[in-house]
Amino acid sequence: MTRVQRYIPHPPHRVWDAVLDPTSWWEAPERPIEVVVGARFDLETVPIVGTRFTGAFEVEILDALRGERLRTSLVALAQPGSPAEWERHTTFREHEGGTLLNVANVGVSMRDRDERLLLRAVKDIQEWELHGVAELLDRARP
């Protein structure tokens, strides 16, 4: 499991909106996502060099409560071999006038060298995305 945490000086409902705004993402889905349990979308990135992972991800929303939590499945497609199947748990907690945002990746097979490398890349991307969320919110300030 990995955890990325960031304090963002905006209320949870605004952080939620920014997290779900594809302009804050490193790699956005081809069409806007609907945030309802069961919604699915695909993401395409560059292949993870030195691993079996192709850069194609299938994502499904498993649980969502606006401004509080978002849980998604993440299936990283592979060629050859089995995909990596994880969950991403994102929580939004009001903290000191802003939001403490936590993102955890769970279900990673740490015995699988390729998954460990993929996890490292995904964690770096998530940190970059949270930076994009903060920038998006700061640009929106009056």
Side-chain angles (χ1 to χ4, degrees), residues 1-3 52-53 74 76 83-89 104-123 126:
M1 179 174 85
T2 62
R3 182 178 313 277
R52 68 182 184 275
F53 297 107
L74 176 71
E85 298 183 29
W86 308 343
E87 285 190 8
R88 180 178 182 178
H89 298 189
N105 299 295
V106 298
V108 178
S109 173
M110 295 308 286
R111 289 184 288 209
D112 184 321
R113 177 194 162 276
D114 287 355
E115 269 195 58
R116 287 193 315 267
L117 291 172
L118 175 63
L119 177 64
R120 183 181 207 168
V122 166
K123 184 175 187 261
Q126 289 170 340

Side-chain angles (χ1 to χ4, degrees), residues 36 58 69 72 78 95 110 112 114-115 123 137 139:
V36 296
E58 296 173 347
R69 67 181 183 269
T72 60
H95 181 74
M110 295 308 286
D112 184 321
D114 287 355
E115 269 195 58
K123 184 175 187 261
L137 286 164
R139 280 195 311 265

